[in-house]
């Protein structure tokens, strides 16, 4: 059996497609957040988008290294997470959290297991480490969803330090300013508090 006929090769190809699609969805979500006035949220999503690109880049490298011959095409039948026209920012955040959870709890643990069974320890370790990142992505999207839904993104029960992502102005209070006192940037540029 050649490496191209292994479950690991096929799983890497599926994961590459999934991560590439996630990057595209998060690019659109970041644009949606920014157009909705949430610039700081958009910036956070853009970081996750960049993470997904790096994941797909690493998967691509693994795929290319699995055969000395040039790989002209990989035929596969793969499902991709898709929700027809999520109409609100809240729906998009919830969908993103659910997708990350599926990767972290079902897909990548299975891919790790199969890579180990086939003797691809480097790929198995890659998927093991990727589970940790996707779990963090899930948590970020869940927190953004909860804060937006509950009106706690820019209002907290205790005073915290708020920081303008535009000019760096900082102020401690229970609620973020409507417009930055220094540069006038709207509230959506205030950096969002996410718990690790």
């Amino acid at each position: 059996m050649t490496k191209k006929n292994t479950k690991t090769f096929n799983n890497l190809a599926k994961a590459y497609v999934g991560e590439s699609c996630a990057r595209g969805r998060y690019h659109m979500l970041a644009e949606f957040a920014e157009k909705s006035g949430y610039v700081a949220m958009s910036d956070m999503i853009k970081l996750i988008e960049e993470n997904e690109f790096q994941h797909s880049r690493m998967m691509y490298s693994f795929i290319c290294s699995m055969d000395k011959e040039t790989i002209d095409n990989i035929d596969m039948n793969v499902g991709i997470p898709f929700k027809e026209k999520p109409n609100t920012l809240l729906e998009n955040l919830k969908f993103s959290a659910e997708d990350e959870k599926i990767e972290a709890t079902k897909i990548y643990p299975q891919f790790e297991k199969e890579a180990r069974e086939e003797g691809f320890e480097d790929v198995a370790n890659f998927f093991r480490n990727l589970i940790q990142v996707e779990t963090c992505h899930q948590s970020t999207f869940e927190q953004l969803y909860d804060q937006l839904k509950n009106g706690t993104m820019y209002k907290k029960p205790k005073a915290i330090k708020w920081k303008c992502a535009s000019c760096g102005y900082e102020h401690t209070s229970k609620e973020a300013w409507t417009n930055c006192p220094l540069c006038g940037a709207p509230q959506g540029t205030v950096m969002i508090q996410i718990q690790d």
Side-chain angles (χ1 to χ4, degrees), residues 128-179:
R128 182 193 64 219
N129 292 333
L130 193 55
I131 290 166
Q132 181 271 330
V133 177
E134 304 302 4
T135 301
C136 290
H137 289 173
Q138 174 193 345
S139 176
T140 298
F141 283 126
E142 286 173 345
Q143 289 182 59
L144 291 173
Y145 172 82
D146 288 340
Q147 289 183 34
L148 187 61
K149 181 180 178 186
N150 300 326
T152 58
M153 188 166 285
Y154 294 118
K155 190 173 186 178
K156 305 294 181 190
K158 294 182 179 180
I160 65 166
K161 186 182 285 187
W162 301 99
K163 184 172 185 169
C164 178
S166 182
C167 72
Y169 174 79
E170 294 180 356
H171 180 74
T172 301
S173 67
K174 289 184 178 182
E175 192 169 342
W177 52 83
T178 304
N179 291 88

Side-chain angles (χ1 to χ4, degrees), residues 18-192:
E19 294 290 314
S20 298
C21 288
R23 180 187 185 204
R25 283 195 318 275
Y26 297 156
H27 183 83
M28 290 184 282
L29 179 55
E31 286 181 346
F32 193 174
E34 188 167 350
K35 287 177 184 172
S36 299
Y38 296 99
V39 176
M41 181 191 297
S42 176
D43 290 343
M44 292 177 79
I45 296 167
K46 286 176 185 174
L47 287 174
I48 294 173
E49 176 191 346
E50 175 62 20
N51 293 162
E52 302 297 351
F53 168 72
Q54 293 302 329
H55 302 165
S56 65
R57 182 188 59 77
M58 290 179 266
M59 291 166 184
Y60 186 86
S61 295
F62 273 122
I63 292 166
C64 290
S65 70
M66 292 194 78
D67 201 299
K68 293 178 182 176
E69 300 292 322
T70 301
I71 302 168
D72 294 324
N73 189 50
I74 301 173
D75 290 318
M76 71 175 78
N77 182 7
V78 61
I80 55 170
F82 189 83
K83 182 173 184 175
E84 184 180 353
K85 300 179 186 174
N87 293 323
T88 67
L89 188 53
L90 271 175
E91 288 173 334
N92 278 279
L93 292 169
K94 184 176 181 182
F95 177 67
S96 298
E98 290 167 353
D99 182 41
E100 294 292 330
K101 181 178 181 179
I102 291 167
E103 285 180 345
T105 61
K106 294 181 180 176
I107 297 171
Y108 292 157
Q110 182 65 33
F111 288 2
E112 176 192 357
K113 178 180 176 281
E114 291 175 351
R116 280 201 203 290
E117 288 171 352
E118 292 183 325
F120 296 103
E121 289 299 315
D122 53 345
V123 177
N125 292 336
F126 168 75
F127 280 121
R128 182 193 64 219
N129 292 333
L130 193 55
I131 290 166
Q132 181 271 330
V133 177
E134 304 302 4
T135 301
C136 290
H137 289 173
Q138 174 193 345
S139 176
T140 298
F141 283 126
E142 286 173 345
Q143 289 182 59
L144 291 173
Y145 172 82
D146 288 340
Q147 289 183 34
L148 187 61
K149 181 180 178 186
N150 300 326
T152 58
M153 188 166 285
Y154 294 118
K155 190 173 186 178
K156 305 294 181 190
K158 294 182 179 180
I160 65 166
K161 186 182 285 187
W162 301 99
K163 184 172 185 169
C164 178
S166 182
C167 72
Y169 174 79
E170 294 180 356
H171 180 74
T172 301
S173 67
K174 289 184 178 182
E175 192 169 342
W177 52 83
T178 304
N179 291 88
C180 177
L182 180 59
C183 70
Q187 189 176 64
T189 60
V190 175
M191 296 173 79
I192 300 168

